[in-house]
Amino acid sequence: MLQDIPTPILRESRGCVLETERLTLRKPTLADVKAIAHLANDRRIAENTRRLPHPYLSEHAVEFVRATAGGGGETVFLIENSSAPIGMVGINWREVDAPELGYWLGVEHWGQGFGTEAARAVIDYFFEEFDDDYLFSGARVANPSSRNILEKCGFQWTGVELHRFEALGSSTPVDCFRLSRSVWSSLKSWGSSMRRRGTYSP
């Protein structure tokens, strides 16, 4: 989903916690490595997430958390439900003019609306904190659940592209989507998330 690539502009989520009706979104720490590795080590997740390897080991989680701690090219949140990690969501700034929303949930947490709830919180954060007019995302053509999340959040389909998926070792068709600031503004009735400032302490 997310990759540590520096950009000219510091895009930072440190000290920011987003809260929704059921979820808390916060920066991951090394204390979360075991939970992240457990959740991500499922081929069904890796096959639908471009940059997740499979198998996903603790070493991968350590590398990921350390990369996010330095800021760089991504804004990342660990998703918690009832204080238990259930997945990740964030924005990849790999393309300066095309910030991309990405997310994944542990398989046992699929089908409960958590993906949409977490995505909306990060979308609100993005448009409220940054000046960009567009947010982009994508979903495998073979992954209708992810497409449904994007459509519920107001994303509009822009076409199909081939993207390489690390776990597949090949490229596969991806539905591409774009959300404009104007569409987001018209949809804000979905309810805003709350935001706490300050340093997170596990």
Side-chain angles (χ1 to χ4, degrees):
M1 172 187 74
L2 303 167
Q3 186 172 331
D4 184 37
I5 297 180
T7 63
I9 304 170
L10 181 63
R11 314 278 190 163
E12 181 67 82
S13 64
R14 180 176 295 146
C16 181
V17 177
L18 309 182
E19 293 183 329
T20 68
E21 183 178 350
R22 298 180 295 170
L23 306 174
T24 299
L25 280 60
R26 61 169 176 82
K27 197 171 187 72
T29 72
L30 288 174
D32 302 311
V33 161
K34 183 177 179 180
I36 292 171
H38 171 73
L39 289 166
N41 190 31
D42 190 301
R43 190 165 187 87
R44 290 168 290 180
I45 297 173
E47 289 180 346
N48 287 295
T49 311
R50 269 179 277 174
R51 288 174 282 276
L52 274 186
H54 185 78
Y56 191 94
L57 308 176
S58 292
E59 302 93 272
H60 295 120
V62 169
E63 182 181 355
F64 170 74
V65 170
R66 285 181 172 162
T68 63
E74 55 195 339
T75 301
V76 181
F77 296 95
L78 179 77
I79 308 169
E80 288 185 322
N81 173 243
S82 300
S83 299
I86 65 171
M88 303 292 304
V89 62
I91 298 166
N92 188 303
W93 304 93
R94 179 166 53 97
E95 300 290 340
V96 177
D97 297 324
E100 182 181 13
L101 174 72
Y103 47 83
W104 59 263
L105 291 173
V107 173
E108 60 267 39
H109 305 291
W110 290 3
Q112 301 174 58
F114 293 137
T116 302
E117 193 170 327
R120 285 175 171 171
V122 172
I123 291 166
D124 286 345
Y125 171 81
F126 170 79
F127 283 116
E128 289 169 359
E129 294 293 322
F130 305 111
D131 295 330
D132 303 71
D133 289 322
Y134 294 99
L135 181 61
F136 298 83
S137 195
R140 279 190 67 187
V141 170
N143 186 5
S145 296
S146 187
R147 292 203 313 273
N148 288 340
I149 288 173
L150 295 175
E151 289 167 354
K152 287 178 185 176
C153 293
F155 280 84
Q156 296 174 317
W157 185 81
T158 59
V160 176
E161 297 178 359
L162 282 177
H163 288 277
R164 183 172 179 82
F165 283 68
E166 184 171 339
L168 296 175
S170 62
S171 296
T172 190
V174 171
D175 281 314
C176 298
F177 292 84
R178 182 178 70 180
L179 176 62
S180 68
R181 179 176 293 275
S182 59
V183 170
W184 167 76
S185 295
S186 70
L187 292 175
K188 285 184 67 175
S189 59
W190 63 39
S192 60
S193 57
M194 297 181 294
R195 188 173 312 138
R196 287 204 314 264
R197 292 288 184 184
T199 302
Y200 172 78
S201 299

